[in-house]
Amino acid sequence: MTDRFSRLARRLAAIVGTTLIAASTGSVVAAPAHAADCTPAQVIANGGFESGSSPWTSSSGVITSGGGQSAHGGSSFAWLNGYGSSHTDTLSQTVTLPAGCTSASLSFWLHIDTAETTTTTAYDKLTAKIGSTTLATYSNLNAAAGYVQKTFDVSAFAGQSVTVSFSGVEDSGLQTSFVLDDLALDVSGGGTTPPPTTDPTRTPAAPGYTVSLSSDATGANWSGHESIGFTNASAAPLNEVYLRLWDNYHGSCPTTPITVTNLTGGTAGALSVNCTAMKVTLPAPLAQGQSGTVAFDLSIAVPSGADRFGRDGSFNFIGNALPVLAVRDAAGWHLDPYTNNGESFYALASDYSVTLDHPTSLQVPATGTSVDTPGSSGRTVTKATASKVREFAWAAGPFTKISGTSTAGVKLNVYSVSGISTTDAQSMLSTAKSAIDSHATRFGAYPYGEVDTVLDNNFWFGGMEYPGFVLDLVSTTALTHELGHQWWYGIVGDDEYTSPWLDEAFTDYSTDLALGKTGTNCWNSVSWASSAEKITNSMAYWDANSSRYSTVVYGYGKCALHDLRRLIGDSAMTTLLHDYAQAHWYGVSTTAEFKAAAQKATTTDLTSFWTQHRIEG
């Protein structure tokens, strides 16, 4: 096991170094035209409408989150018509399809319901267009239960700025509702880079986790059932999936704290990667677009120790305990080892429905939005739901809870172990309110509605992030940092083992901005330990060179971003990070994609900048 103090040092020391908020007078400069390579990207911003109305243009009330309709994913959607009277609604966004990309595909999820009874006459119509080209027209005759995905090849518009638009026209009687959600316009192809030898599509896609667990009297032992639904998004058949049982790192393999039994939906293989991976061979290969489900009984035993998975007296912290699907992409299956120095986790945006049955004496903060109902005698059932999150974590214990709401409307809960003063808890609540709104202003509205902060001064680390749920010491800087992770790793995902700088450096830079710190000359203190040391090295390198992890990934990483801001200008950097977050909302960021986005934000050739700052990829 890596020296635990090194993680504490990098969580605390690295996020309090000399750093700099942007000055305020830079200007956006035009980006140069690049005719060669195409960086695959998704160019519609806020396609799930979870960040409000921007940059959409729409009729009043079209982008909403209630009224009797429901979202395909998240909580918001676009609802055109449904008035039962003569009415026209519109929705549009102008996007640019990069010139170097030769393939483009527009997709959206559409739900239609109607009060019309005719089976022959289209009274109410929705028209979908790109530019002046009509892609399709739908009507009350297409009404059906649930959402249906529509996909169109729009490659002919490569290199153009075009408007994607929808127009709904309703006649004078009987309503028809056209509900849109999760729009995407994916571009790829072209350029001089040959395609990968394997399919780069990340799969299994759109995982849905349904979990029901019951605890003992202490909240340290849980048992129950988990089911995982998924779809093969790849053109390559899916013959197997892998479960990551991350917290088995904390046991002595094969004696493990996470136990999977009675698996259905496939054949379980032997545990591998120090008991943190289980291969599940599917009954038959899944072709592209086909779905499968695996389910199993699950038991969890929380070990002693104030850890991200551990027990401090009567307080239990349960991070990374639920088995999750590994990801397959162009590199194959990602079966990296657990690291205690940082994070190994790489997961796609997923939906969770988790039911936790526990003694009423225990508070159970958790990822997502929770609703408590009475259980059997002396017990409470906490139902937590979360949409499009990377993972799920919770805690259990006799915490003291205080709550508040940020100016932007995010509900914030602070749970404290015994020994945390009321003053400290209130201070951390104020910090959380300020931090969550500050990050949202820069990168896009926080989409999950609620955040739980769990405080314990015995943690050996400064803080640990999970979606809507963070573990923290009483530290303004640490909490601001962990809440920044809601965007950098949470909303904008990355492979944390292969590219830890994409979440840690970006989050530390965001922390600087939120706390008003400056970064003047912060790059001047850089001193490389060897020619092999780079900001973009993987956790395999940092586990072998753990004393340098904090310095380089956190410190040098955020200083490189400050240097980039100084080079391209404050306004350009602000726009770059905001637009980059929007373009990768619920997706996955890579170093290559960020470098390409940064280059497009400036007329300055950044080649020497990446070399100087040792940012490769």
Side-chain angles (χ1 to χ4, degrees), residues 339-395:
T339 174
N340 206 39
N341 192 35
E343 287 81 45
S344 301
F345 318 124
Y346 177 22
L348 304 183
S350 309
D351 294 339
Y352 282 85
S353 176
V354 180
T355 301
L356 302 170
D357 184 323
H358 57 89
T360 302
S361 59
L362 303 180
Q363 295 266 12
V364 181
T367 291
T369 301
S370 296
V371 176
D372 288 346
T373 57
S376 58
S377 178
R379 297 183 69 86
T380 294
V381 177
T382 297
K383 176 69 176 293
T385 55
S387 178
K388 295 186 178 178
V389 296
R390 305 283 162 186
E391 51 195 334
F392 186 96
W394 74 101

Side-chain angles (χ1 to χ4, degrees), residues 96-139:
T96 299
L97 284 65
C101 298
T102 58
S103 178
S105 176
L106 174 68
S107 64
F108 54 85
W109 290 84
L110 174 64
H111 167 60
I112 304 174
D113 67 52
T114 187
E116 301 281 4
T117 57
T118 179
T119 58
T120 58
T121 305
Y123 290 114
D124 311 312
K125 298 179 181 180
L126 176 75
T127 302
K129 300 174 72 174
I130 183 168
S132 60
T133 300
T134 297
L135 299 172
T137 299
Y138 307 96
S139 74

Side-chain angles (χ1 to χ4, degrees), residues 186-389:
D186 296 291
V187 296
S188 60
T192 58
T193 303
T197 56
T198 57
D199 188 341
T201 304
R202 298 180 180 99
T203 199
Y209 295 83
T210 303
V211 183
S212 180
L213 297 172
S214 181
S215 83
D216 65 1
T218 69
N221 297 284
W222 299 77
S223 62
H225 193 73
E226 177 174 343
S227 175
I228 311 172
F230 54 90
T231 300
N232 180 22
S234 167
L238 190 66
N239 300 301
E240 71 279 326
V241 296
Y242 284 85
L243 297 177
R244 296 312 310 259
L245 287 66
W246 287 114
D247 281 337
N248 280 349
Y249 166 87
H250 298 277
S252 299
C253 183
T255 304
T256 58
I258 310 298
T259 305
V260 167
T261 56
N262 300 322
L263 185 140
T264 61
T267 303
L271 293 175
S272 60
V273 197
N274 196 29
C275 285
T276 66
M278 175 187 284
K279 181 179 180 179
V280 178
T281 303
L282 300 178
L286 295 180
Q288 188 173 32
Q290 290 186 320
S291 298
T293 302
V294 295
F296 44 85
D297 292 333
L298 174 66
S299 66
I300 299 169
V302 183
S304 178
D307 209 333
R308 53 189 177 187
F309 178 61
R311 185 179 187 189
D312 183 13
S314 57
F315 300 95
N316 303 278
F317 313 105
I318 313 170
N320 305 111
L322 295 182
V324 295
L325 293 176
V327 177
R328 189 187 79 186
D329 58 20
W333 284 105
H334 286 258
L335 301 176
D336 301 307
Y338 185 101
T339 174
N340 206 39
N341 192 35
E343 287 81 45
S344 301
F345 318 124
Y346 177 22
L348 304 183
S350 309
D351 294 339
Y352 282 85
S353 176
V354 180
T355 301
L356 302 170
D357 184 323
H358 57 89
T360 302
S361 59
L362 303 180
Q363 295 266 12
V364 181
T367 291
T369 301
S370 296
V371 176
D372 288 346
T373 57
S376 58
S377 178
R379 297 183 69 86
T380 294
V381 177
T382 297
K383 176 69 176 293
T385 55
S387 178
K388 295 186 178 178
V389 296

Side-chain angles (χ1 to χ4, degrees), residues 1-2 21 24-25 36 40 48 91 121 165 193 195 201 210 236 296 304 328 331 345 355 365 439 442 560-561 608:
M1 179 180 292
T2 304
I21 189 170
S24 58
T25 58
L91 174 73
T121 305
S165 63
T193 303
T201 304
T210 303
F296 44 85
S304 178
R328 189 187 79 186
F345 318 124
T355 301
H439 296 316
R442 290 182 173 88
L561 293 174
S608 62

Side-chain angles (χ1 to χ4, degrees), residues 122-202:
Y123 290 114
D124 311 312
K125 298 179 181 180
L126 176 75
T127 302
K129 300 174 72 174
I130 183 168
S132 60
T133 300
T134 297
L135 299 172
T137 299
Y138 307 96
S139 74
N140 49 282
L141 299 178
N142 303 115
Y147 279 88
V148 178
Q149 188 176 37
K150 309 294 183 181
T151 304
F152 302 92
D153 184 351
V154 293
S155 302
F157 296 89
Q160 301 180 33
S161 289
V162 292
T163 299
V164 176
S165 63
F166 301 86
S167 176
V169 179
E170 196 173 18
D171 73 358
S172 59
L174 299 179
Q175 76 87 22
T176 300
S177 295
F178 302 100
V179 188
L180 293 158
D181 202 359
D182 292 337
L183 291 84
L185 204 170
D186 296 291
V187 296
S188 60
T192 58
T193 303
T197 56
T198 57
D199 188 341
T201 304
R202 298 180 180 99

